[in-house]
Each structure stands twice: as C-alpha cells, then as structure tokens.
Amino acid sequence: MLFTHPTFLFYFLPITLIGYAVLRKHRNAQNVWLFAVSLLFYAWGEPWFVLMMGLSIFANWFTARQIDAAELENKRKFWLIMALIFNLGLLFIFKYLNFVVETLGSLLSQPTWQTHLVLPIGISFFTFQALSYVIDVYRKTTSVQPSLMRVGLYIALFPQLIAGPIVRYSTIAQEIEHRQENWDAIDVGLRRFTVGLAKKILLANTFAIIADAAFAMNSTNTLTQPMAWLGIVAYTLQIYFDFSGYSDMAIGLGRVFGFHFLENFNLPYTARSVTDFWRRWHISLSTWFRDYVYFPLGGSRVTSRQRLVFNLLIVWFLTGVWHGANWTFMLWGLWFFVWITLEKLTGLQKQLGCLGHVTTLMIVMMGWVGFRAESLTLMMRYFGTLLIPSTTTSPRFMMMIQEYAIFLIAGILLALGIPQLMWKKVKANKPSPLLSGLVLEILLFLALVFIIKGSYNPFIYFNF
Amino acid sequence: MRSTPKPYTLFILTVLLILGLLGLPWTGYPMAKALYQDVLSDVKTQQFTPKHLIEAIDSAIFNNITFRNAFIDASGMLYHWTQRRVVPDANPNLTVYLTNSGQLAWLNDGPYRTGPALDALEALESALNERAIHLLYVNAPTKMALDDLGLPYGIKDSSVINLNALAQQMILRELPYLDLRPAMIEDGLKVNDIFYRTDHHWHSEIGLWSAQLIQQTLRERTGLPLDEIPDASAFTVESYPEIFLGSLGRRVGTPYVGKDDVRLLIPQFDTDLELHIPSVNLVRRGRFEESVLFKNHLFPDNLYTGNAYAVNLASDHAFLRITNHLNPNGIKLLVIKDSYANVMMPFLSLSVEELVAVDLRKLTDRSLLEVIDAEQPDAVIVFYSLGVFVSDAGHRFIDD
C-alpha cells in the first residue's frame, strides 16, 4: 500500500485514526491497534511478506533479549553475530543472491540459475532499523524492550516502514508508552503530510515524466544532448521531491500518532561540499553507516591516512550496495568515496568557497546518472551524450520545456530553499493562520485531483 | 487531548472521510458490485489469490471514489487552463496527447512484430483456400496512422511506419489486403471527419464509407455478388450534440476538449434486419435502427463509465449474426473483428444475406475454424487495427 493511493488516503488512514481515537484511554490497546494495522499495511503489497516481517520481528526481539540476559561478553557477542547473520542474511537472499550468482556465472562463464524470490518492499529500511535496535542493546545505549509486540510496533510502524526514515529505537522508546497526542501535534503532522503529498504528486511525478523519457531515449540510443541535460536535472529534482516527500509524509503521520521521527532531508542541494551533502541527504541512512560501520572501524580518528581511506571505502561501497544489487549502485557509492576522500585529505571544500555549492551540485547530479541508469553500458552511454559536444537538435527537449517549464522553475527554487526563506519572512510578520491553511488546502486539492484522475505515479523504491 | 481541533485538521479529515467512508452510501453498492464481478471472474478462471483480491479491492475503490468525475473534470480544467498538450497517465502507454487538430490521441511508440501475425494469416488463407472461401484483410487505420494529425512538437509516432511496413509485407506474401488510407486521402477525408475527438473510434459516416469500399472491393476481386450499399444521401442523419465522452476523453475530463457529437445514419429505404447475439440471449428484428443500433447507450447514467460508441451493435461480443431478410439470395460474410468494425458491419450487412462476426479476443467456446465450418461463409474479412492484429489473441486464427 502506498500513501498516495486512494485505498490508503480514503480508507486505511481514516479507519486507523478512528480506531486509534476510540482506544485513546488504553495505550496498550492503541499500540496493538497500530501494530495490527501496520502489518495489514505491509501485507497489502504482497500478503506473504507479512510472514517474513513477523519472522524478522521475532528474530530481532529474541536476539536482543538474549544479548540483554547474557552476562558473559562472549555470549552477548554470539547473539549479536546471530542477529547480524539473520538480518544481513535475509537481505542477501532476497536482494543480492541473484546478482551474485549472475556475476559469478559471467566471470566463470558458467550457466546460472535464478531464484524467483520477489524483493519484499522496504526490506533494506526495516532490516537496518531492526539491526540498529539489536546493536544498541548490545552497546547498552538503549534498554531492551521485553515485549514482542512493542518491538514489532517499532520495526513495522507503517509511517516509516516502506521508505524510511530509519528510526533508532532510542528516538521513540519513551514514546511507545508515554507519548502525547494533542490536536496541535495532529495539525502539525497533517500539515507536514500534506506538504509531502504535494511534493510527491505535483512535483516528483512531473519530473519523473521528463527523466523517464530521457532515460528511455538513452536505452534506444536516440537521446540528444539537450534532452540528456534536461533529463538529469529532472531526475535530480524527482528523486529529491519523491524521497523527501515520502519522508515528510512519514514524519507527519508519525507526529499524528505522537511519535517524533528525526528529519531525513535538509535542503541537500544547497550543500557546499559533498561531505555537507551527505549531512543533508537521507540523514537517517548516512548516520546509520556512520554509527554502525564508520565509527566501529575507527572513523576519522585513525593514525594513518591509509586506514582513513580504507574506512571511507568500506562505508561508501556499502552505501552503494545498500541502494541496490547492480554495479551502477556500487559505482555510485564509490563516486562519493572518491570525492569525500579528496575533501578530507585536501580540504578542497574550503578552497572552493562559494563555488563549492556549484561543484557539489554537479558532482551529485553526475552521480544520479549512475544511480538511475539500468546498466553500466547505459550509464556510459548517457555520460557520453551529456559530455561530448553535439549539434543535434532536440524537438523533444523543446516540447518538454514548453510543457513543464513552470514545474522546473518551481522545483529548482524549492530545492534551493528560496520560497521557504521567503515564507519564514512572511511568518515573522505573523500573517493570518488562514493564509497557510489556504495554501495547504489548495495543495491538498491539487494533489487529490491528480491522484483521483490517475496520473503518472511511479514508485521508485522497489530496489530498496 | 486538551486542545481543540485546528481548522486545517478538520478540513483534511472531512475531505478524506467524504471521499471515502462517508461516501459509502453512494459508492458502496457500485464498489461492491465491481469487486464481486472481479472476484467471480478470477474464481471462474482459477486465478483467485489473496493478491488478486487486494488488487480487486484497490481497483473497486479507485474506480468508485465519491465525486470521482468531478475530480477528473477538475484535472481537465487545469490542463486546459495551463494549455498542456500532454496529459500523463498512471499507465505511460495511455498518456493522452492533444493534437493540432484538436484530437485526443494515444501514441504508438515503436515497431510492431508482425511476423507471427502474418504467418497466422497465411495459415488462415490456406485453410480457407481448402474450403473455397475468399479472404480479405482490411486494415482499420487508427488516428495516428493519418499524417495530418499534428502531434505536439517533438512527439513522434510509429503508426505510419508500422502500417507501411505491414502493407509491404502483405504485398510480398501476396496476401489479399485492402489499405483504407489511400482511399481516405483520395476522398479528402481528414482526421476530424473520421475520428471522434475524444475516442479512438470512427464516426458513423466512415462506417458507411468503409462498408461501401469493402463491398466494392470484394465484388471486384472475388466476383461475389454483393448488393450495392446506398449512398449517404439515402440516409437521414440523427444528431446528438455533445453527448459522448470517449475512452481518451474519460482520462482527461470534459473541460479539456469537450464532448463529441454522435451522428447516426438511419436508412430512408426499407430495411429488415435481425440481430442475434447468443452470449447475451439477444434477438432483435426490425428496421435498421431498431435492430442493430442501441440508442440506450447514447445516454448513460455516468458519462465516465458509459460508452456511446456501443450504440453500434452494443459493443464487442464473441459472436453475433446479422440476417438481412430483404436479401434472401445474397452471400454470407464472416468478419473477424475488433471494435473498429462495429460501426462498419451494420452497413455491410445491407449488401449480403447474412453477416456473422467473431471477436477472437472473446471467443472461448470453440475455435475459429469450427465457426467457419459451421457457418460456411462465402468470404472471410479480417477487419483489424494493427495493434489487435499483432496481439496474441488477435491472430489466433488457427488453434494448435
């Protein structure tokens, strides 16, 4: 089930809210209700996925309890390793096994087989979320949750289940039992949800049309240079508004139920360096890798440059791998490894000054080519079209500009935070609250028009 | 909770409830009916699974949202005000384009694989030759097959290329082929004369025109004695202004390009036709307009779910028969058809004793050859748009 589908908006969400409100005097019952509807939410995509989710919940609850109960360090470590094997094993089988088999097969020139396993939606997100809980219990930075249902609620809570943010247990541990719902918070949450919905439906889906057209033309070798540039600009905007829109909806819904999820995006395209970009983009993932991979390897506090480079290589390779089972994702991760290493070793970003914003944006956009391309060959072809000068005219480019110019302008301004700055100034003058309400009502109406009409609405997280 | 609900909270919750739960008194029954039919169909074809059930629920909900038509109209208005010529769809293949001539059109993006379909047609010709039955393949051009359409700048369509390639193959393989495009161009027919603006089908006048051309072609090529189909002046035109929202129009809303007029051609001369559609136990005998035209389809309760084009033979059926009681010594035709033929066949039936029609996409109880052997027509006409011809069901002429 997706947030942007009528089933969710007009039935699932209202029924969930009604049930939650009816049970408002019984916190435990509310938690059971939320857990049950979260499982239904997940099962809606593919019913048997919920069995796998149940297994994951049980395994992580069990291993965390074993870690907490064990007195000897060896035993604690043993259960941590079991949890790692289970979670990463699950991820490997569903997400990477076919890729590994295929790759080995081509390297060894041997025939290969394929599993026909369907990738459970959101497995990368909830696996990492569950792992963070077990690791935090091991590190004693969070206390174990004895209740299987509450661990299940933490892992499966529907607002952040499919597309994050990856929530640390410590963030919401208190709120599972002691959260405060009130109309102010619900209003804030629903406003945030509306903004996210508008970002996804009105902006991301529009940019998807342009980006998909460009990459389709690339597949058939009919891509022109102007269209290639337009395509990558559109994809840069699409992925930002899609992903941050989904995060807004997740954070908003969490707020409605009294949960405070941390921010996941912070105007990443205004970053002044690649390092800064990753402090602003998919923050929950980058901090996960920082806390659970980079720091345990020693982080930046290592005695040799070689070790620092090695640590960065591991983190960024794994970041690429996390995003998908394809060489393009790995190269994308390594692309950032190169630039971040360069920045750390040379202090490059300080030397660039303001120009750093422009170069960072270009580096990120070039990275998106690899991220979006379906294969290495197509990725190289796209780069070729982008960078090799050409005089081919592009009627398709002109058509796209005519149709979508206003969206592109709005998207670029919003991605750079300019309207948001202006809105802050307007708010400082304490305008009528009806004004912000009116803007949201218009956004909601427009989003619903295109949802109900059945407009183009791609789901780009099937790799995750 | 100590605070009070905020205005925006009340607004969004009210909207979501109205569009869902509170709308159930109006949408509940059609939703349940659609769900039941979907599930029943899955059960009958042994395809029922929990996932199918979920998809059926999603579909029933999506197609029965409160005020759905108003929202689609609102989207049409927005696209119209912003002068957009490309209306994206959830299914990218169904993205609607507004042409220079004010037509709504779908695109045909790439080349079709016609090899298997042509092989099947050759096999059909052999089978018919054994039975001394004539064959004629008639290509029904779609909108994009006519050059004067005027797509938005930068948009290309492959229909012309595909049809030219098909015509070449038909000649190479020496298959009996009638391409309607040259005659359309020669007679000065423009795309707005041929097609509904909001639908992919033809106007009634083109149904008559194409029936006349087919009758003439069959007579010339096979010597079969088909009666002359009277000229358009022998028909009265019944006009129904702005009543039809076609399959393309339903995706963009009425404010985008408005609705189509429907014109019915009613013979002024004597007619006595009998229509038999076994799958719905329908038998109708009477004048042309009483037997083969279904005027109740012109005024559906819901413009977005009705289909005025179904005035022609009540839409598509696996098998139907039209008997012309004023031509008892005429010949018998069998038409293998898609929906483009529905507007042509009533007129063609005026030139023969009997016309039977088979839609291979719906025929499940017997094979085409079994139908041909049972009916023993004098000629078989394959009347297809290219997309249907190359589809698996479309060229299932000879069952293995």
Side-chain angles (χ1 to χ4, degrees):
Chain A
M1 200 186 295
L2 305 179
F3 294 156
T4 55
H5 198 276
T7 305
F8 176 84
L9 289 168
F10 307 141
Y11 291 95
F12 180 88
L13 183 58
I15 292 172
T16 300
L17 289 170
I18 290 169
Y20 193 76
V22 162
L23 297 168
R24 65 187 177 283
K25 294 198 192 305
H26 308 279
R27 176 62 78 204
N28 207 41
Q30 278 188 321
N31 285 343
V32 171
W33 172 250
L34 272 185
F35 180 50
V37 299
S38 296
L39 290 179
L40 175 64
F41 178 87
Y42 196 59
W44 205 263
E46 176 63 68
W48 79 266
F49 283 172
V50 80
L51 297 173
M52 193 219 55
M53 166 69 69
L55 182 63
S56 175
I57 290 169
F58 177 81
N60 286 288
W61 166 80
F62 181 77
T63 49
R65 286 206 72 172
Q66 297 305 310
I67 289 169
D68 185 64
E71 287 173 5
L72 297 173
E73 179 56 26
N74 281 349
K75 211 165 171 199
R76 298 180 80 246
K77 209 168 257 182
F78 169 76
W79 285 111
L80 174 66
I81 291 168
M82 287 295 110
L84 284 168
I85 290 172
F86 174 81
N87 284 293
L88 298 178
L90 205 64
L91 204 51
F92 177 79
I93 289 168
F94 282 101
K95 195 166 172 179
Y96 301 108
L97 181 58
N98 284 339
F99 172 72
V100 168
V101 166
E102 238 178 68
T103 306
L104 284 175
S106 351
L107 285 174
L108 303 170
S109 303
Q110 294 287 322
T112 59
W113 47 266
Q114 292 277 297
T115 71
H116 296 289
L117 291 172
V118 176
L119 180 68
I121 294 172
I123 188 172
S124 303
F125 288 100
F126 69 73
T127 304
F128 267 42
Q129 183 151 315
L131 255 181
S132 77
Y133 165 65
V134 178
I135 295 172
D136 284 350
V137 169
Y138 172 79
R139 286 177 174 176
K140 296 184 181 175
T141 53
T142 197
S143 51
V144 75
Q145 172 52 258
S147 159
L148 175 62
M149 188 277 296
R150 287 182 204 136
V151 170
L153 178 64
Y154 159 66
I155 292 173
L157 190 60
F158 75 87
Q160 38 76 41
L161 177 58
I162 286 181
I166 300 170
V167 177
R168 305 289 178 92
Y169 181 71
S170 55
T171 305
I172 62 162
Q174 278 294 304
E175 288 174 340
I176 285 179
E177 282 310 304
H178 303 293
R179 58 189 181 274
Q180 288 267 335
E181 302 96 334
N182 56 62
W183 286 113
D184 289 335
I186 290 170
D187 192 67
V188 167
L190 290 174
R191 284 169 177 256
R192 187 78 185 258
F193 179 81
T194 304
V195 167
L197 189 70
K199 271 182 175 179
K200 164 66 179 156
I201 297 294
L202 303 179
L203 293 176
N205 288 353
T206 303
F207 299 131
I209 295 165
I210 306 170
D212 288 353
F215 281 87
M217 288 166 79
N218 187 47
S219 301
T220 56
N221 214 3
T222 54
L223 183 64
T224 58
Q225 194 170 50
M227 193 60 204
W229 279 101
L230 186 64
I232 199 56
V233 168
Y235 187 70
T236 301
L237 295 171
Q238 175 197 350
I239 194 165
Y240 170 61
F241 286 111
D242 202 306
F243 212 169
S244 69
Y246 245 87
S247 289
D248 286 336
M249 287 191 270
I251 292 167
L253 287 174
R255 199 72 198 271
V256 168
F257 296 107
F259 294 101
H260 290 74
F261 302 151
L262 299 179
E263 292 298 328
N264 211 17
F265 291 86
N266 181 17
L267 294 175
Y269 294 145
T270 62
R272 61 183 184 280
S273 66
V274 178
T275 308
D276 187 33
F277 173 78
W278 278 100
R279 289 195 199 109
R280 294 165 175 272
W281 177 274
H282 201 175
I283 299 167
S284 63
L285 180 72
S286 55
T287 53
W288 195 100
F289 275 111
R290 180 196 66 194
D291 294 342
Y292 299 112
V293 179
Y294 190 59
F295 282 168
L297 287 172
S300 306
R301 296 177 187 184
V302 290
T303 50
S304 72
R305 269 191 167 195
Q306 288 91 331
R307 180 60 196 218
L308 173 65
V309 171
F310 174 77
N311 291 349
L312 289 169
L313 176 64
I314 296 294
V315 165
W316 289 104
F317 175 74
L318 290 177
T319 301
V321 165
W322 182 89
H323 281 83
N326 196 320
W327 291 113
T328 52
F329 292 115
M330 287 167 216
L331 281 181
W332 174 79
L334 292 174
W335 172 251
F336 287 111
F337 157 70
V338 166
W339 290 105
I340 287 174
T341 305
L342 209 58
E343 284 176 2
K344 283 201 185 304
L345 295 181
T346 66
L348 183 65
Q349 67 276 20
K350 288 190 191 122
Q351 294 163 26
L352 287 173
C354 286
L355 200 57
H357 292 282
V358 177
T359 54
T360 301
L361 197 48
M362 285 304 297
I363 290 166
V364 168
M365 279 172 56
M366 292 302 112
W368 289 139
V369 174
F371 192 87
R372 174 62 176 80
E374 294 93 348
S375 69
L376 288 178
T377 310
L378 290 174
M379 179 186 80
M380 294 314 297
R381 188 189 288 173
Y382 203 103
F383 273 126
T385 312
L386 267 182
L387 301 170
I388 297 172
S390 157
T391 53
T392 317
T393 56
S394 188
R396 197 69 178 266
F397 168 81
M398 290 310 303
M399 191 279 288
M400 291 287 183
I401 294 290
Q402 272 174 0
E403 286 286 311
Y404 303 115
I406 203 138
F407 289 93
L408 287 163
I409 293 167
I412 290 168
L413 290 175
L414 281 163
L416 296 178
I418 293 161
Q420 293 90 314
L421 267 173
M422 288 163 60
W423 179 249
K424 270 191 188 148
K425 288 195 171 138
V426 168
K427 266 171 83 172
N429 292 329
K430 296 195 194 314
S432 161
L434 290 176
L435 175 62
S436 66
L438 182 64
V439 169
L440 285 171
E441 284 161 15
I442 292 170
L443 288 177
L444 178 69
F445 172 73
L446 291 174
L448 290 176
V449 163
F450 292 110
I451 287 170
I452 294 171
K453 177 242 171 270
S455 198
Y456 188 50
N457 188 18
F459 180 69
I460 62 174
Y461 310 113
F462 58 88
N463 268 322
F464 308 148
Chain B
M1 289 188 231
R2 293 204 183 109
S3 52
T4 54
K6 302 294 175 203
Y8 183 72
T9 298
L10 288 173
F11 173 78
I12 185 174
L13 292 178
T14 306
V15 166
L16 296 183
L17 283 169
I18 287 172
L19 295 179
L21 295 171
L22 293 181
L24 280 175
W26 296 271
T27 62
Y29 174 69
M31 209 184 299
K33 188 176 166 193
L35 179 61
Y36 173 73
Q37 282 169 349
D38 249 344
V39 170
L40 195 63
S41 164
D42 276 346
V43 168
K44 277 186 181 166
T45 54
Q46 296 177 327
Q47 289 180 329
F48 182 78
T49 60
K51 184 139 171 76
H52 275 206
L53 174 63
I54 288 168
E55 285 169 358
I57 294 171
D58 278 341
S59 174
I61 288 172
F62 179 73
N63 289 313
N64 292 284
I65 300 168
T66 325
F67 305 128
R68 182 167 188 262
N69 295 353
F71 276 94
I72 298 176
D73 279 348
S75 76
M77 209 173 308
L78 287 168
Y79 281 116
H80 180 70
W81 282 345
T82 53
Q83 299 191 330
R84 300 272 298 279
R85 293 189 59 186
V86 181
V87 180
D89 194 272
N91 179 345
N93 293 330
L94 298 177
T95 292
V96 176
Y97 296 86
L98 177 63
T99 72
N100 291 344
S101 46
Q103 288 272 337
L104 297 180
W106 282 315
L107 269 199
N108 174 352
D109 251 358
Y112 279 133
R113 273 187 68 235
T114 53
L118 287 164
D119 292 342
L121 190 62
E122 276 184 334
L124 176 65
E125 188 190 30
S126 299
L128 292 177
N129 284 342
E130 285 168 18
R131 293 159 170 81
I133 298 174
H134 299 282
L135 171 67
L136 179 66
Y137 182 97
V138 181
N139 166 53
T142 55
K143 277 190 200 188
M144 304 310 299
L146 298 170
D147 273 340
D148 63 348
L149 204 55
L151 285 168
Y153 185 56
I155 300 292
K156 290 198 172 6
D157 181 79
S158 308
S159 298
V160 173
I161 296 170
N162 287 334
L163 276 182
N164 291 345
L166 177 74
Q168 259 186 351
Q169 281 298 312
M170 288 284 186
I171 293 168
L172 277 170
R173 293 181 187 229
E174 295 179 353
L175 289 162
Y177 177 61
L178 172 61
D179 187 345
L180 295 178
R181 292 177 298 162
M184 284 175 169
I185 293 165
E186 199 181 311
D187 285 354
L189 293 171
K190 301 288 179 205
V191 71
N192 285 334
D193 301 321
I194 302 168
F195 295 96
Y196 289 105
R197 206 172 51 247
T198 69
D199 196 67
H200 54 293
H201 291 115
W202 299 343
H203 288 298
S204 301
E205 294 90 336
I206 304 306
L208 171 64
W209 177 90
S210 57
Q212 289 169 333
L213 188 58
I214 290 168
Q215 166 253 318
Q216 189 185 325
T217 304
L218 268 178
R219 265 230 306 248
E220 285 167 5
R221 292 193 194 179
T222 67
L224 287 171
L226 284 88
D227 284 359
E228 193 93 14
I229 298 172
D231 191 69
S233 58
F235 293 81
T236 308
V237 178
E238 262 183 29
S239 279
Y240 300 89
E242 295 197 359
I243 61 157
F244 181 27
L245 190 64
S247 49
L248 291 135
R250 275 175 242 139
R251 305 195 107 81
V252 300
T254 51
Y256 192 55
V257 293
K259 290 173 275 191
D260 275 301
D261 302 339
V262 173
R263 293 181 298 278
L264 301 180
L265 299 183
I266 311 296
Q268 293 172 353
F269 48 91
D270 283 342
T271 52
D272 182 5
L273 298 176
E274 183 173 338
L275 172 67
H276 184 210
I277 306 177
S279 58
V280 294
N281 290 325
L282 184 132
V283 179
R284 273 174 144 205
R285 180 172 174 175
R287 285 188 53 82
F288 181 93
E289 64 272 26
E290 292 159 354
S291 55
V292 294
L293 295 182
F294 290 76
K295 292 187 189 177
N296 56 305
H297 285 283
L298 293 176
F299 305 102
D301 292 332
N302 184 340
L303 205 56
Y304 282 84
T305 55
N307 179 15
Y309 182 72
V311 66
N312 304 294
L313 299 172
S315 196
D316 299 310
H317 305 279
F319 179 92
L320 65 82
R321 183 192 311 278
I322 306 174
T323 306
N324 182 358
H325 289 286
L326 296 185
N327 193 357
N329 301 314
I331 66 156
K332 187 169 189 176
L333 291 179
L334 186 142
V335 181
I336 302 169
K337 60 160 287 277
D338 64 18
S339 58
Y340 282 82
N342 293 354
V343 73
M344 178 277 297
M345 290 190 299
F347 299 108
L348 189 60
S349 71
L350 297 173
S351 70
V352 298
E353 177 186 349
E354 211 170 70
L355 183 150
V356 297
V358 171
D359 193 328
L360 290 180
R361 300 168 300 177
K362 292 174 176 277
L363 189 74
T364 54
D365 59 346
R366 46 193 170 144
S367 71
L368 174 66
L369 283 183
E370 283 169 349
V371 175
I372 289 171
D373 287 336
E375 297 296 327
Q376 296 187 357
D378 295 287
V380 168
I381 298 169
V382 180
F383 191 100
Y384 270 163
S385 56
L386 181 54
V388 173
F389 182 44
V390 299
S391 70
D392 288 340
H395 62 261
R396 194 170 37 90
F397 300 134
I398 311 284
D399 276 342
D400 290 331

